């Protein structure tokens, strides 16, 4: 008996204590919202701290009262070994972007042609931070995921909880919490917090961060969330990615709801109807840019009508209903220390200006591409010259022009080397390009191929970055791509930057990728002209690597979007004896590219659908997913090829066209019946 008494759990907390904890959580969350989102605190910092400490004390004595939405969880959790990769609720696409007004006009024209009603646009500043997906279930933050490759990202929930402007629980005073909500936002560091933070790093003799964005991105990927908590991050929410248990028809409605749920949102959001209004907004934002305490790099223009967005759809990279109208890049002047040559994975020699480091819009730049020998000649840049450089977002900085210095004696004009700096093979000229023809023996090309093979959209091998690839080639541990699969952890442990754990992780990571999706494998081979989209289309069409390998040019061209130029490039690559052997070697190591899942064969498969008007029982995006899941396609315009036109409430001109073409027109009930026939229940 005595033993049992000793082991018995502490008595359950009293109901009064549980109530006190709940009230404290709610009060603290409210005051945190008032302070960080609305900037109008109602209590002093000391009073807040007193309430906070009381809640901490309760949770210490009765840990079962600790909940995920407790403000005490914002201080950070125990460090982790690694982040889990998590699939996004909805793919996080990128944005099509341009600095040109003409591109904006083309975008607007395209939308005007495709849509039944003239577009209305929601304008927002383009925030220059790190994008994040926040998922709420039953109103409570359950997950936060980095953008990653757009499909999957890293689960960084503990870190995101430390950001005071992220609601741990949605506010429900004005609007009930939906059952499930996924929100996209941008984690940012304010410029002032960034400067303070960098100052501290410099004082401690550590390398400062290049920009607030890099620092914010670094902070959300800290394994120890207590460090994240110290970086003074903010998070702006701007997009509802998914909502269950509520419906929005416009982005403006969704944006208002985000505010009511307690999110911090970008200011200066406007609804406009014309390109002129967008251009004026852009000019105002650019003029005010330097007065803001956070970095923006343009304006995001989004179609407000959410059903119309679904109609327009997306490419694999960006939605067709939005674009970023960016600011002109910031320019600075510096000096070229010398022009070096870099050799890429395709053997192209690129002249690179090594610069006296200079800050351009908060980022330190020390190299800039000069593209090719003709470009160097045209700009007449030589060692030691003064130059104007520019940086546009993530794009590699460029030398814009040389600045004349009449009184200074200049170096000799630049000449491309006669031999490859990496392998000494005599180089060849191909138009403006200079190429090292030593495809399989040049270490610089092999290094580039390794990095590409392991990159996110290819085999996605964690830990195979530039430096590791360079080491593997330099130490001759890898002489061709296939050698990657033979690596053993004990060959890596002693390399600089490696320890037992990282060596084992890399080797395991590589081995696991022997079962790789066909589209990733194809992309990873680095076939000229084959980007992510073409690789995916080839995989969907041919369904096996052997089928692609033996496809004639004609067969390749039967794939939508592949023309003679591409098919020739693909055949040439696959037929080159060196490539064929290198690929055989990879396959002999047990690499098995897996075909994409076959779409369900149903009455809908291969059928083209067009939607017009609003649906009652399901959103347009859900309808689209159901059709696509059953092998059908949703297209935006009506033609003789359309199989079904689904007309909801208040259909537009597509309906009239469908009548004129005598197409199959379904009302909502008819559409649901068709789905039901295909075994799809809309619950
Ligand atoms: S809307 C499907 N709105 O810009 C894309 N994005 O360059 C919908 N970004 O990765 C995004 N501010 O993270 C949107 N006000 C804003 C934004 C914004 C910044 C980011 C976004 C994206 C990047 C694309």
């Amino acid at each position: 008996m005595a033993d049992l008494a000793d082991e018995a759990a502490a008595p359950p907390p009293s109901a009064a204590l549980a109530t006190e904890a709940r009230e404290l959580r709610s009060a603290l969350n409210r005051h945190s919202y008032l302070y960080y989102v609305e900037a109008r605190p109602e209590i002093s910092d000391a009073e807040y701290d007193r309430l906070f400490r009381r809640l901490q004390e309760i949770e210490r004595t009765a840990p079962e009262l600790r909940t995920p939405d407790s403000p005490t969880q914002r201080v950070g959790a125990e460090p982790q070994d690694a982040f889990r990769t998590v699939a996004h609720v909805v793919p996080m696409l990128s944005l099509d972007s341009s600095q040109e007004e003409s591109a904006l006009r083309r975008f607007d024209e395209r939308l005007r042609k495709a849509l039944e009603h003239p577009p209305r646009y929601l304008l927002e500043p383009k925030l220059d931070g790190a994008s994040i997906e926040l998922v709420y279930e039953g109103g409570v933050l359950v997950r936060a995921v980095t953008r990653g490759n757009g499909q999957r990202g890293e689960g960084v929930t503990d870190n995101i909880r430390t950001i005071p402007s992220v609601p741990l629980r949605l506010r429900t005073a004005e609007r009930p919490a939906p059952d499930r909500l996924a929100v996209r936002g941008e984690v940012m560091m304010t410029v002032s917090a960034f400067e303070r933070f960098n100052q501290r790093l410099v004082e401690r003799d550590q390398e400062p961060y290049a920009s607030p964005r890099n620092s914010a991105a670094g902070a959300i990927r800290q394994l120890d969330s207590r460090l994240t908590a110290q970086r003074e991050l903010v998070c702006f929410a701007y997009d509802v990615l998914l909502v269950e248990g509520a419906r929005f028809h416009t982005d403006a409605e969704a944006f208002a709801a985000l505010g009511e749920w307690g999110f911090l949102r970008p200011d200066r959001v406007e609804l406009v109807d014309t390109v002129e209004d967008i251009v004026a907004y852009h000019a105002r934002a650019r003029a005010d840019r330097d007065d803001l305490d956070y970095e923006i790099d343009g304006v995001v223009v989004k179609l407000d009508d959410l059903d119309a967005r679904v109609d327009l759809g997306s490419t694999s990279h960006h939605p067709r209903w939005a674009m970023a109208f960016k600011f002109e890049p910031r320019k600075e002047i510096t000096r070229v220390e010398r022009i070096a040559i870099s050799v890429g994975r395709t053997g192209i020699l690129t002249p690179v200006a090594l610069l006296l480091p200079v800050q351009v819009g908060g980022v330190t730049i020390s190299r800039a591409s000069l593209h090719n020998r003709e470009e160097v000649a045209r700009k007449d840049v030589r060692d030691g010259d003064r130059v104007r450089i520019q940086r546009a977002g993530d794009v590699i900085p460029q030398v814009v022009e040389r600045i004349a210095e009449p009184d200074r004696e200049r170096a000799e004009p630049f000449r491309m080397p006669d031999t490859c700096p990496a392998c000494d093979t005599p180089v060849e000229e191909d138009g403006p390009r200079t190429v090292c023809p030593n495809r399989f023996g040049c270490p610089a090309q092999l290094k580039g191929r390794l990095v590409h093979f392991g990159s996110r959209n290819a085999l996605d091998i964690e830990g195979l970055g530039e430096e590791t690839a360079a080491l593997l080639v330099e130490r001759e541990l890898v002489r061709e791509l296939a050698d990657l699969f033979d690596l053993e952890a004990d060959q890596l442990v002693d390399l600089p930057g490696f320890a037992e754990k990282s060596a084992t992780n890399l080797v395991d990571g590589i081995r696991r990728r022997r079962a790789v999706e066909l589209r990733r494998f194809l992309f990873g081979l680095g076939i000229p002209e084959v980007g992510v989209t073409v690789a995916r289309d080839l995989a969907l069409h041919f369904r096996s690597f052997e089928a692609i390998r033996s496809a004639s040019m004609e067969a390749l061209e039967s794939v939508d979007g592949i023309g003679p130029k591409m098919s020739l490039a693909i055949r040439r690559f696959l037929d080159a004896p060196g490539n064929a052997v290198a690929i055989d070697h990879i396959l002999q190591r047990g690499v098995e590219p897996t075909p994409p899942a076959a779409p369900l064969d149903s009455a809908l498969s291969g059928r083209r659908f067009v939607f017009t008007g609003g649906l009652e029982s399901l959103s347009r995006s859900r309808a689209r997913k159901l059709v696509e899941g059953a092998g059908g396609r949703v297209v935006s315009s009506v033609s003789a090829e359309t199989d079904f036109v689904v007309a909801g409430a208040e259909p537009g001109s597509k309906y009239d066209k469908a009548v004129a073409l005598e197409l199959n027109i379904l009302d909502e009930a008819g559409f649901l019946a068709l789905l039901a026939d295909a075994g799809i229940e809309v619950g």
Side-chain angles (χ1 to χ4, degrees):
M1 281 307 274
D3 282 359
L4 274 181
D6 281 351
E7 281 179 16
S14 70
L17 205 60
T19 308
E20 187 184 355
R22 194 176 57 245
E23 286 173 359
L24 281 166
R25 278 199 304 271
S26 156
L28 285 163
N29 277 332
R30 175 164 174 276
H31 289 300
S32 174
Y33 166 79
L34 288 171
Y35 186 93
Y36 288 102
V37 178
E38 300 236 322
R40 50 176 188 93
E42 285 179 0
I43 59 173
S44 67
D45 290 3
E47 177 63 7
Y48 183 92
D49 289 346
R50 196 186 63 73
L51 298 174
F52 189 88
R53 279 195 303 272
R54 173 66 188 141
L55 180 59
Q56 268 184 326
E57 188 185 311
I58 296 178
E59 290 178 349
R60 210 171 20 246
T61 52
E64 56 276 54
L65 293 180
R66 195 173 288 151
T67 61
D69 66 327
S70 170
T72 59
Q73 304 306 298
R74 290 203 190 271
V75 291
E78 284 299 303
Q80 317 185 20
D81 289 336
F83 296 116
R84 249 176 358 114
T85 333
V86 188
H88 289 297
V89 173
V90 178
M92 277 176 92
L93 297 175
S94 192
L95 276 174
D96 198 14
S97 77
S98 174
Q99 295 159 39
E100 305 298 331
E101 193 178 312
S102 57
L104 173 71
R105 290 190 184 274
R106 281 198 300 279
F107 166 77
D108 175 65
E109 274 159 27
R110 229 182 324 110
L111 262 56
R112 280 179 200 274
K113 265 203 209 111
L115 298 173
E116 297 180 274
H117 307 287
R120 162 160 295 182
Y121 298 111
L122 190 85
L123 306 181
E124 290 172 7
K126 185 168 179 312
L127 307 166
D128 197 9
S131 78
I132 190 91
E133 175 193 60
L134 305 172
V135 183
Y136 290 81
E137 282 171 6
V140 177
L141 175 69
V142 292
R143 203 160 67 237
V145 189
T146 62
R147 191 169 110 77
N149 64 6
Q151 303 291 330
R152 304 173 69 83
E154 287 174 320
V156 290
T157 319
D158 286 339
N159 291 353
I160 295 302
R161 275 210 185 93
T162 69
I163 304 176
S165 47
V166 171
L168 298 178
R169 174 184 282 279
L170 301 178
R171 291 172 61 79
T172 50
E174 291 144 295
R175 178 185 286 271
D179 307 332
R180 196 145 178 261
L181 174 73
V183 170
R184 180 166 179 168
E186 202 81 0
V187 175
M188 320 264 295
M189 198 168 192
T190 60
V191 177
S192 41
F194 172 69
E195 281 166 359
R196 281 196 297 277
F197 176 66
N198 259 359
Q199 180 69 35
R200 282 202 299 276
L201 289 178
V202 173
E203 278 161 15
R204 280 188 252 136
D205 235 7
Q206 290 169 357
E207 191 64 24
Y209 273 91
S211 69
R213 178 189 16 165
N214 288 4
S215 175
I220 60 179
R221 298 190 64 252
Q222 284 289 345
L223 291 169
D224 184 344
S225 51
R226 289 168 297 198
L227 298 177
T228 314
Q230 291 167 11
R231 291 239 189 138
E232 302 184 68
L233 301 173
V234 287
C235 177
F236 291 100
Y238 49 71
D239 195 28
V240 172
L241 290 163
L242 167 129
V243 56
E244 284 171 13
R247 274 280 292 286
F248 300 118
H249 293 97
T250 64
D251 200 14
E253 272 175 36
F255 191 80
L258 288 175
E260 291 168 350
W261 283 322
F263 291 93
L264 178 69
R265 297 167 304 163
D267 336 301
R268 304 160 170 253
V269 173
E270 280 181 27
L271 276 172
V272 302
D273 295 318
T274 68
V275 172
E276 280 60 44
D277 291 337
I278 302 174
V279 172
Y281 177 95
H282 182 265
R284 284 197 303 278
R286 194 185 42 216
D288 297 346
R289 176 182 193 185
D290 292 329
D291 299 334
L292 299 176
D293 195 23
Y294 50 86
E295 296 237 89
I296 62 172
D297 58 353
V299 167
V300 183
V301 182
K302 306 181 202 179
L303 185 66
D304 189 39
D305 179 336
L306 299 180
D307 279 350
R309 284 189 184 181
V310 178
D311 280 351
L312 290 169
S314 303
T315 70
S316 64
H317 170 261
H318 62 261
R320 294 198 181 86
W321 43 261
M323 77 169 277
F325 182 18
K326 305 239 304 193
F327 299 142
E328 283 262 309
R330 290 170 153 138
K331 299 188 170 91
E332 288 299 337
I333 292 173
T334 185
R335 201 171 282 286
V336 175
E337 291 187 320
R338 104 189 140 76
I339 298 174
I341 302 292
S342 123
V343 184
R345 77 180 151 86
T346 53
I348 295 173
L349 272 61
T350 307
V352 178
L354 304 183
L355 307 166
L356 209 63
V358 61
Q359 291 267 319
V360 188
V363 175
T364 311
I365 304 294
S366 53
R367 10 179 336 126
S369 171
L370 283 161
H371 304 294
N372 56 46
R373 63 172 189 286
E374 286 183 7
E375 178 93 354
V376 188
R378 197 169 59 73
K379 292 182 173 155
D380 187 22
V381 177
R382 307 181 190 176
D383 290 358
D385 281 352
R386 246 161 86 79
V387 288
R388 192 182 313 278
I389 60 162
Q390 71 174 25
R391 173 182 73 94
D394 278 333
V395 186
I396 309 159
Q398 295 173 346
V399 173
V400 185
E401 61 185 352
R402 175 172 77 83
I403 294 174
E405 295 172 285
D407 298 335
R408 198 180 62 87
E409 193 169 329
R410 299 180 63 205
E412 290 297 303
F414 169 79
R415 269 196 58 221
M416 275 305 236
D418 299 326
T419 60
C420 169
C423 68
D424 239 11
T425 308
V427 295
E428 291 172 2
E429 291 190 358
D430 171 14
R433 295 173 172 168
T434 309
V435 185
C436 163
N438 186 12
R439 269 310 274 144
F440 292 93
C442 174
Q445 294 186 48
L446 176 58
K447 185 202 117 185
R449 282 204 298 278
L450 274 178
V451 172
H452 180 77
F453 194 59
S455 66
R456 279 220 162 135
N457 289 316
L459 272 69
D460 195 14
I461 299 171
E462 201 171 325
L464 185 61
E466 296 272 344
E467 281 171 34
T468 303
L471 270 173
L472 295 176
V473 173
E474 198 182 292
R475 306 281 166 115
E476 299 188 2
L477 292 170
V478 172
R479 291 193 173 85
E480 59 169 325
L481 287 183
D483 292 345
L484 271 179
F485 298 96
D486 294 338
L487 284 176
E488 299 285 350
D490 57 11
Q491 295 176 294
L492 304 178
V493 269
D494 296 328
L495 297 183
F498 275 93
E500 203 154 314
K501 184 143 187 218
S502 45
T504 321
N505 283 350
L506 179 58
V507 167
D508 289 350
I510 296 172
R511 302 237 160 117
R512 267 202 304 278
R513 291 295 189 267
R514 282 187 296 206
V516 55
E517 290 155 80
L518 177 55
R519 64 184 172 91
R520 291 178 166 275
F521 180 71
L522 278 175
F523 175 72
L525 291 177
I527 306 172
E529 310 280 335
V530 178
V532 176
T533 308
V534 174
R536 185 202 58 197
D537 292 348
L538 284 169
L540 278 170
H541 186 92
F542 288 101
R543 315 196 66 78
S544 82
F545 183 64
E546 282 318 313
I548 296 168
R549 249 189 143 173
S550 55
S552 64
M553 279 184 55
E554 251 175 11
L556 290 168
E557 282 164 41
S558 69
V559 178
D560 246 359
I562 297 191
K565 184 167 166 234
M566 251 187 222
S567 68
L568 181 65
I570 298 170
R571 273 285 26 121
R572 275 207 180 133
F573 181 90
L574 294 173
D575 293 338
N579 289 339
V581 172
I583 293 170
D584 285 339
H585 287 171
I586 298 173
L587 298 175
Q588 282 158 13
R589 298 310 201 278
V591 173
E592 283 187 31
T594 52
L600 284 170
D601 205 17
S602 76
L604 275 64
S605 75
R607 306 292 183 165
R608 291 171 182 236
F609 285 74
V610 170
F611 288 91
T612 174
L615 299 175
E616 275 297 311
S617 50
L618 72 175
S619 70
R620 194 73 75 82
S621 58
R622 175 110 198 279
R624 180 184 199 121
K625 280 206 197 98
L626 293 173
V627 168
E628 288 175 349
R633 280 182 62 188
V634 177
V635 294
S636 58
S637 59
V638 174
S639 73
E641 259 90 75
T642 310
D643 294 295
F644 295 102
V645 174
V646 181
E650 296 177 42
S653 58
K654 291 182 201 169
Y655 178 81
D656 303 332
K657 192 159 177 200
V659 173
L661 289 172
E662 298 182 18
L663 299 175
N664 284 318
I665 302 179
L666 300 173
D667 59 9
E668 182 162 346
F671 174 60
L672 294 177
L674 185 73
L675 289 176
D677 275 354
I680 304 163
E681 292 298 334
V682 179

